[in-house]
């Protein structure tokens, strides 16, 4: 397994694989790898000749400098985990090599609409950072396929639009959210939870499942009422709601008569840690809201 930090060395290696006709898979991460990341790695190994895992904590997508500084940096442990999967290359550049300019002077990519709704409301410029770093990784690594987790659902939809708008010849492969036995969605941020908070955190998924049950069984359901119930349940359970949305799962638009799948998306604070989760359900056309 190669550990590459410099862009020119990465490009040389990519070109050598391209000349050999190798099918390249990219798994982009910010490190602190857990079983959710490793599930994407496993799937990538089955579908490509070469697997590249990027580990880069992207400063452009953080709204808080403290959040950026405190994000766990575990490159040695991450590489040890990846060695077990026979990964071909880990790309872990420094900020200075990845962004030649100060962040405020850096050329950026911004996806309209999707960058400014839901998660984008409370996290200005976050999705600008995501779309910029992914565009750079796509240009540098030139993958045939790339893997993204469904836990970050708005990000996934943004990536779909990005590759379509910029005509990237890359197939995006979504990977289902990996959960602990208690239902908690795996996340690097779970490491920031205290012992008591770890006992509360799984309730987030329980609240999602309860809302899904109501939305799929009630005849004259009202999404706004369900959203308020979700917020109340979060507060009762010890969370502080940050965003609760029910949208069309295929485009994140408001639900309408043509919607076939819906998604409930939740972001909430538990202590100093912000957790996100979501759940998709099929819309019962007989029971659609009027």
């Amino acid at each position: 397994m190669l550990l590459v930090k410099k862009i020119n060395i990465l490009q040389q290696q990519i070109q050598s694989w391209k000349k050999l006709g190798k099918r390249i898979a990219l798994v982009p991460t910010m490190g602190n790898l857990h079983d959710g990341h490793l599930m994407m790695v496993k799937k990538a190994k089955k579908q490509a000749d070469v697997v590249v895992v990027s580990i880069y904590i992207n400063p452009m997508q953080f709204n808080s400098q403290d959040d950026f500084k405190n994000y766990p940096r575990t490159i040695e442990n991450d590489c040890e985990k990846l060695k077990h999967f026979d990964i071909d290359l880990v790309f872990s550049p420094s900020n200075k090599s990845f962004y030649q300019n100060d962040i405020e002077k850096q050329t950026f990519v911004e996806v309209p609409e999707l960058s400014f709704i839901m998660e984008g409301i409370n996290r200005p410029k976050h999705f600008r950072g995501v779309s910029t770093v992914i565009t750079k990784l796509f240009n540098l690594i030139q993958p045939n396929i790339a893997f993204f987790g469904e836990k970050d659902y708005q990000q996934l939809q943004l990536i779909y639009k990005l590759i379509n708008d910029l005509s990237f010849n890359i197939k995006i492969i979504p990977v289902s959210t990996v959960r602990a036995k208690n239902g908690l969605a795996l996340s690097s941020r779970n490491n920031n939870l205290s012992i008591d908070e770890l006992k509360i955190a799984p309730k987030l998924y329980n609240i999602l499942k309860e809302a899904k049950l109501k939305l799929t069984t009630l005849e004259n359901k009202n999404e706004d009422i369900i959203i308020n119930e979700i917020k109340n349940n979060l507060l009762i359970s010890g969370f502080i709601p940050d965003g609760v949305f029910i949208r069309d799962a295929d485009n994140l638009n408001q639900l309408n008569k043509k919607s076939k799948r819906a998604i409930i998306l939740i972001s909430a604070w538990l202590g100093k840690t912000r957790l996100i989760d979501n759940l998709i359900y099929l819309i019962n056309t007989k029971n659609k809201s009027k």
Side-chain angles (χ1 to χ4, degrees):
M1 182 181 80
L2 298 172
L3 174 60
V4 175
K5 295 179 178 293
K6 295 183 178 180
I7 285 177
N8 64 325
I9 296 176
L10 171 71
Q11 290 174 315
Q12 290 171 11
Q13 183 61 63
I14 294 296
Q15 288 307 311
S16 68
W17 282 328
K18 287 285 184 182
K19 289 178 181 177
L20 294 172
K22 299 291 186 180
R23 179 174 169 84
I24 299 174
L26 168 65
V27 181
T29 81
M30 291 206 300
N32 197 20
L33 303 183
H34 52 67
D35 285 347
H37 297 113
L38 299 179
M39 177 61 72
M40 290 191 281
V41 171
K42 288 179 185 178
K43 290 182 178 293
K45 285 291 294 182
K46 292 179 180 179
Q47 299 184 48
D49 302 311
V50 170
V51 177
V52 177
V53 176
S54 64
I55 297 178
Y56 179 60
I57 303 170
N58 176 30
M60 190 182 282
Q61 68 189 69
F62 286 83
N63 292 115
S64 163
Q65 272 299 111
D66 287 340
D67 197 15
F68 171 66
K69 290 178 181 178
N70 294 330
Y71 197 89
R73 289 156 169 80
T74 57
I75 184 68
E76 290 184 5
N77 288 338
D78 293 338
C79 287
E80 283 301 314
K81 290 179 180 179
L82 292 172
K83 284 179 182 177
H84 294 294
F85 294 91
D86 196 25
I87 297 307
D88 299 275
L89 188 149
V90 174
F91 177 50
S92 183
S94 66
N95 289 331
K96 186 172 288 188
S97 65
F98 198 77
Y99 292 123
Q100 285 74 39
N101 302 306
D102 293 336
I103 294 299
E104 295 303 319
K105 297 179 181 179
Q106 175 70 37
T107 299
F108 61 84
V109 178
E110 194 163 71
V111 177
E113 296 180 350
L114 282 172
S115 295
F116 306 108
I117 61 172
M118 299 179 348
E119 287 278 293
I121 295 173
N122 294 332
R123 303 176 75 187
K125 297 185 181 180
H126 167 71
F127 286 115
R128 171 190 291 185
V130 171
S131 53
T132 301
V133 72
I134 292 301
T135 298
K136 289 202 67 168
L137 289 172
F138 283 172
N139 281 334
L140 290 169
I141 297 166
Q142 301 174 42
N144 301 93
I145 53 177
F147 293 76
F148 292 86
E150 289 186 337
K151 183 174 73 70
D152 295 294
Y153 198 82
Q154 185 173 351
Q155 173 179 284
L156 176 61
Q157 295 302 311
L158 179 135
I159 299 300
Y160 282 137
K161 182 169 173 54
L162 175 73
I163 64 164
N164 183 68
D165 288 357
L166 298 184
S167 302
F168 280 112
N169 186 23
I170 300 170
K171 182 179 180 181
I172 302 302
I173 300 180
V175 178
S176 300
T177 301
V178 178
R179 300 182 182 278
K181 291 181 179 179
N182 59 17
L184 177 62
L186 298 189
S187 170
S188 299
R189 295 181 185 275
N190 294 350
N191 295 329
N192 298 327
L193 297 171
S194 67
I195 294 175
D196 289 336
E197 289 168 346
L198 281 170
K199 296 176 182 177
I200 297 171
K203 294 180 181 179
L204 190 66
Y205 186 49
N206 293 335
I207 292 169
L208 272 170
K209 290 191 293 184
E210 181 181 334
K212 174 184 174 180
L213 181 62
K214 289 184 177 181
L215 287 161
T216 53
T217 57
L218 293 178
E219 288 192 10
N220 293 312
K221 63 182 179 294
N222 183 304
E223 281 83 13
D224 290 335
I225 291 176
I226 302 296
I227 286 173
N228 286 330
E229 287 183 0
I230 291 172
K231 290 178 179 178
N232 288 332
N233 288 336
L234 287 169
L235 288 168
I236 291 169
S237 299
F239 299 91
I240 298 176
D242 191 41
V244 179
F245 305 93
I246 299 174
R247 295 292 177 92
D248 188 309
D250 295 314
N251 51 36
L252 294 183
N253 290 335
Q254 298 285 351
L255 293 178
N256 56 59
K257 293 180 179 179
K258 295 182 179 180
S259 299
K260 296 180 180 179
R261 301 189 309 150
I263 182 167
I264 314 164
L265 305 106
I266 294 178
S267 59
W269 290 92
L270 185 55
K272 296 182 179 180
T273 306
R274 186 175 184 273
L275 302 177
I276 64 170
D277 205 345
N278 63 72
L279 202 55
I280 294 175
Y281 64 93
L282 294 176
I283 295 175
N284 185 339
T285 54
K286 294 180 180 179
N287 295 339
K288 276 191 178 181
S289 297
K290 297 180 180 180

